[in-house]
Amino acid sequence: MQIYMPTNVYSENNCVMNHKKELAALGNKALLVTGKHSSQANGSLADVKQALQEEGISYVVFDKIEENPSIETVMQARELGVNENVDFVVGIGGGSPMDAAKAIALMVANPKEDESILYEAREFQALPVAEVPTTAGTGSEATPYAILTIHARRTKQSISYRIYPALALLDSKYLKTESIDTLVNTTVDALAHLIESYLNTNANSYNRMYSEKGLRLFAEMKDDLLQCRRFGGEPRQTLSDEVFDKLMQMSATAGMAITHTSTSLPHGLSYAVTYELGVPHGKAVGIFLPGFLTFYQEKEDVRAVLRQMCFASVDDFTEYMDELLGKVEISDDLWKKDVEMIMGNQAKLKNYPFTMDEETLYKFRR
């Protein structure tokens, strides 16, 4: 058994400013990678800029990262980074900017290579990366993974390189500007990480400690989250600072869990649903969790997961998820394509400890 967690993670109020020296120590000029709106609205981009300015570090901003970032966008950011001679990258936002930052750091560090290296098993180094998460979902600040959209194949896939951030700066105040839909979808993504990591070929008593911690955090706030959904207003009007702190902790802990195991079937099934139907990633993953628990063959492990979440049964969990997420209509043609795709995805199948067949997978759609 092995535990390997090389990222230096800080989690506290005013985290970026408190650790501006560690951020500045990563290089002499930063490429700030973010989306168009949220990092400006929640103050995270301004905090990073101020921290770098106070430490005398110059920077350039690339703010064109879309949801589910594409290879094309990564290459556009690479061009800016190379032209500006940056020597480290800061991802600011949700999973999309944080994942993109890792891929961009790889491409900027190798300016003579084209995008084909993203999915080649070769030895390349990346620039140092810092991450400032502003959603409580992907845990990308604590993982080496970078998932990009591949338009040519109409799907998503993690790049071939494991790029751990050197530094992660977590501050739950950035969550308070999120909509209820974003908060729910990202939280469910983190929940899927915890469940898929615990029920995984690569799970052991060491790395399951991360999943257990995260599942207990979810149990402590799942009723608050559901009440917030029912209320339908802004989360900051109904959720306490303590809940926001737990959401951020849960997300990072879930990232630490999948760092050691990777994800499994629900994530694999989600990619086509997101690409073809535009369903947000967390929701697309979440709709497959009840089926995953229902048909997982080691029932005692399923009961352990349910106990950690404080659900009496899979039916209780399913009822909760249906109300929290709603349902997604998947056509027969898309579902057939999705099942065929996952049956050809050896990376996901090998993380499922038992033999999986198409007949069982078809039952995952409810």
Side-chain angles (χ1 to χ4, degrees):
M1 293 188 291
Q2 181 187 22
I3 291 291
Y4 180 63
M5 182 58 223
T7 302
N8 192 7
V9 180
Y10 292 98
S11 181
E12 61 196 58
N13 293 331
N14 300 316
C15 193
V16 171
M17 294 305 297
N18 290 347
H19 299 282
K20 59 186 179 180
K21 292 190 181 299
E22 288 97 322
L23 182 63
L26 295 180
N28 297 307
K29 187 173 185 178
L31 175 61
L32 309 187
V33 175
T34 189
K36 296 179 180 179
H37 305 295
S38 63
S39 67
Q40 297 182 39
N42 60 38
S44 55
L45 179 59
D47 284 351
V48 172
K49 287 181 176 180
Q50 181 181 349
L52 293 174
Q53 288 168 359
E54 291 185 5
E55 292 300 309
I57 301 297
S58 59
Y59 60 82
V60 61
V61 178
F62 182 86
D63 61 0
K64 300 178 182 179
I65 300 298
E66 72 272 41
E67 189 172 355
N68 305 304
S70 66
I71 294 174
E72 290 81 2
T73 302
V74 166
M75 296 306 292
Q76 186 180 356
R78 192 273 285 271
E79 182 178 1
L80 175 64
V82 170
N83 290 339
E84 292 288 338
N85 295 311
V86 304
D87 57 3
F88 71 107
V89 180
V90 184
I92 310 168
S96 294
M98 289 195 291
D99 281 11
K102 298 171 189 175
I104 293 165
L106 175 71
M107 297 310 305
V108 174
N110 299 279
K112 295 182 179 180
E113 304 291 338
D114 63 24
E115 64 268 25
S116 65
I117 72 166
L118 290 166
Y119 292 98
E120 293 180 359
R122 297 167 63 185
E123 294 294 329
F124 288 105
Q125 297 297 312
L127 298 182
V129 176
E131 303 282 28
V132 181
T134 65
T135 66
T138 69
S140 184
E141 69 274 12
T143 78
Y145 312 125
I147 297 175
L148 303 179
T149 295
I150 307 173
H151 288 303
R153 292 170 47 199
R154 304 182 70 84
T155 190
K156 296 163 43 176
Q157 184 179 338
S158 185
I159 66 174
S160 298
Y161 301 86
R162 295 171 66 85
I163 302 172
Y164 280 100
L167 182 66
L169 302 174
L170 284 59
D171 191 333
S172 63
K173 70 181 180 184
Y174 301 138
L175 303 181
K176 295 181 180 180
T177 60
E178 289 187 352
S179 68
I180 181 59
D181 285 338
T182 298
L183 192 71
V184 165
N185 292 336
T186 53
T187 300
V188 170
D189 186 21
L191 179 62
H193 292 161
L194 295 165
I195 293 173
E196 292 176 53
S197 178
Y198 193 97
L199 304 177
N200 197 294
T201 303
N202 303 305
N204 59 52
S205 59
Y206 278 6
N207 56 51
R208 275 183 169 176
M209 291 188 292
Y210 294 113
S211 294
E212 290 165 355
K213 172 63 175 178
L215 292 169
R216 289 195 296 270
L217 285 168
F218 176 73
E220 292 172 7
M221 60 193 173
K222 63 184 174 68
D223 292 340
D224 297 285
L225 196 64
L226 189 58
Q227 286 299 322
C228 188
R229 164 63 84 195
R230 289 168 176 167
F231 177 73
E234 295 294 327
R236 60 185 169 185
Q237 297 174 341
T238 58
L239 299 179
S240 66
D241 288 350
E242 182 181 10
V243 170
F244 283 116
D245 285 343
K246 288 179 179 179
L247 286 166
M248 190 65 92
Q249 291 175 36
M250 172 189 165
S251 177
T253 304
M256 295 173 192
I258 60 169
T259 288
H260 296 92
T261 63
S262 190
T263 55
S264 185
L265 300 179
H267 265 73
L269 288 166
S270 76
Y271 297 146
V273 175
T274 291
Y275 191 94
E276 299 294 346
L277 301 181
V279 176
H281 171 67
K283 183 173 184 176
V285 174
I287 62 175
F288 297 115
L289 289 178
F292 183 59
L293 292 178
T294 298
F295 297 105
Y296 191 84
Q297 293 185 31
E298 182 47 70
K299 300 304 181 185
E300 181 52 44
D301 285 346
V302 173
R303 286 190 285 270
V305 168
L306 292 170
R307 284 195 299 270
Q308 298 291 338
M309 293 189 292
C310 294
F311 288 109
S313 66
V314 174
D315 287 343
D316 287 345
F317 174 74
T318 301
E319 182 179 346
Y320 176 91
M321 294 297 287
D322 283 349
E323 183 174 359
L324 189 67
L325 288 177
K327 296 187 178 181
V328 176
E329 294 297 327
I330 304 174
S331 70
D332 290 341
D333 287 344
L334 177 56
W335 189 225
K336 180 180 179 182
K337 174 185 175 182
D338 201 2
V339 169
E340 290 175 351
M341 186 178 298
I342 196 68
M343 290 304 297
N345 188 338
Q346 292 303 312
K348 296 303 179 191
L349 290 175
K350 74 177 183 180
N351 288 340
Y352 185 74
F354 313 100
T355 300
M356 178 53 66
D357 55 59
E358 289 189 15
E359 182 179 356
T360 302
L361 270 180
Y362 275 119
K363 298 176 183 177
F364 275 43
R365 185 179 69 164
R366 299 168 37 257

